Amino acid sequence: FIPKATKTYYIAVDSSYAASSSSSKGSFTLDVSEYNPPKGDSCAKPIPMTFSGTSATATGDTSKFSNTVALTYSDCAGASSPGKDAFYSVTLTGGKAYKVTLTPASTYDAMVYGFTDCSAPAKSCVGGHDPIGSGKVSSFKVNPSTTATYYIGVDSYSSTQGGTFTLKVEETAPPPANSKCAGAKTISMPGGKGKVTGDTSLALNEYGSNVSCHSTYTYYVGPQLYYKLLMKKGTTYKFELSPSFSSYMYLFPLGACGTAPAMMINDDYH
């Protein structure tokens, strides 16, 4: 527990059983001590990562830390983060593209996320991923416009889990222009038909998980590519997506770029 102000706090020793139950009362010992958290236990004291060539690597063990950041499903990584977390800082160069990869031990369900402001990790989120499942590798991409310090959190979906991991930040090829909504590619419709091919492997996740377009708990945390199409009033259009991966397709009107699209018309799962 970290008090935000110097003042007296009251500690209660209680029971969930009624006073008439023998399980509700008994002797005990209470120990209190000041705790000096290790470096990396909070975003305020992150462990710095240094590049060697085009990559930076760190290893750690979240079981040695406490839980200092608790994100919700819609904040950053598409999952809540009540687990023990470790934090790292790294300087990323503007104009370059990076991939952050977390490889955890097989004993726990880990997640990774990145942000720029320790006081507001959800609002400053730049990407995150929780593949859901023990030992699964998670990753996200970031393409900073200016050189700045980024914070990376290694966390867990479970409040009782933690373990060893390897964290890697590496330079990658730049993402395609239409990885951002503002750079959407135009779909031509000669004869009333249009077709495009693409690959999201190098794309970014522009809006974190802050896209709402589905009646269930679905958060679009994967990389995406954007396209734009001039549609005629009163005309019916049919969209068919043939992906090689687990994908969603959603549609929203002109003007939604710039903030997380909120006026979704429809989506489709593949």
Side-chain angles (χ1 to χ4, degrees):
F1 175 70
I2 304 175
K4 295 183 178 180
T6 300
K7 60 181 179 180
T8 299
Y9 288 81
Y10 296 90
I11 303 168
V13 179
D14 207 329
S15 173
S16 61
Y17 287 89
S20 58
S21 171
S22 61
S23 298
S24 69
K25 57 184 73 71
S27 60
F28 64 87
T29 299
L30 173 65
D31 291 318
V32 180
S33 61
E34 292 184 358
Y35 171 69
N36 186 22
K39 196 169 187 178
D41 188 61
S42 69
C43 181
K45 295 182 179 180
I47 300 171
M49 296 181 69
T50 303
F51 276 87
S52 177
T54 58
S55 66
T57 303
T59 58
D61 187 343
T62 56
S63 64
K64 298 178 180 179
F65 299 98
S66 58
N67 175 35
T68 57
V69 171
L71 300 174
T72 65
Y73 280 91
S74 60
D75 283 341
C76 195
S80 58
S81 64
K84 298 178 179 180
D85 41 41
F87 292 92
Y88 294 81
S89 63
V90 62
T91 299
L92 302 183
T93 304
K96 292 187 176 182
Y98 298 88
K99 181 180 181 181
V100 179
T101 303
L102 173 67
T103 305
S106 61
T107 53
Y108 71 112
D109 180 356
M111 70 174 71
V112 65
Y113 47 81
F115 52 94
T116 57
D117 185 353
C118 284
S119 64
K123 290 184 179 180
S124 64
C125 170
V126 296
H129 184 211
D130 178 13
I132 303 180
S134 296
K136 290 190 176 181
V137 175
S138 54
S139 66
F140 68 90
K141 296 183 179 72
V142 59
N143 186 29
S145 57
T146 60
T147 299
T149 297
Y150 286 74
Y151 302 97
I152 302 171
V154 178
D155 214 318
S156 175
Y157 177 75
S158 171
S159 61
T160 61
Q161 293 184 353
T164 60
F165 62 86
T166 298
L167 178 65
K168 185 175 184 179
V169 181
E170 59 187 324
E171 292 184 21
T172 65
N178 64 326
S179 185
K180 292 191 174 183
C181 185
K185 283 187 176 182
T186 299
I187 299 177
S188 300
M189 295 281 287
K193 293 184 178 181
K195 183 177 183 179
V196 295
T197 58
D199 190 331
T200 60
S201 298
L202 293 177
L204 299 171
N205 177 28
E206 184 176 15
Y207 293 113
S209 57
N210 300 315
V211 176
S212 177
C213 185
H214 203 274
S215 59
T216 60
Y217 290 105
T218 299
Y219 299 98
Y220 305 95
V221 296
Q224 67 275 149
L225 293 178
Y226 292 96
Y227 298 87
K228 58 184 179 181
L229 173 66
L230 177 63
M231 293 189 280
K232 300 175 184 177
K233 181 179 179 180
T235 302
T236 300
Y237 292 85
K238 181 180 181 181
F239 297 85
E240 293 182 276
L241 178 66
S242 301
S244 62
F245 60 101
S246 178
S247 66
Y248 276 89
M249 175 176 61
Y250 46 85
L251 177 70
F252 54 93
L254 180 69
C257 286
T259 59
M263 296 178 60
M264 297 302 179
I265 298 172
N266 193 18
D267 77 348
D268 190 20
Y269 170 70
H270 292 266

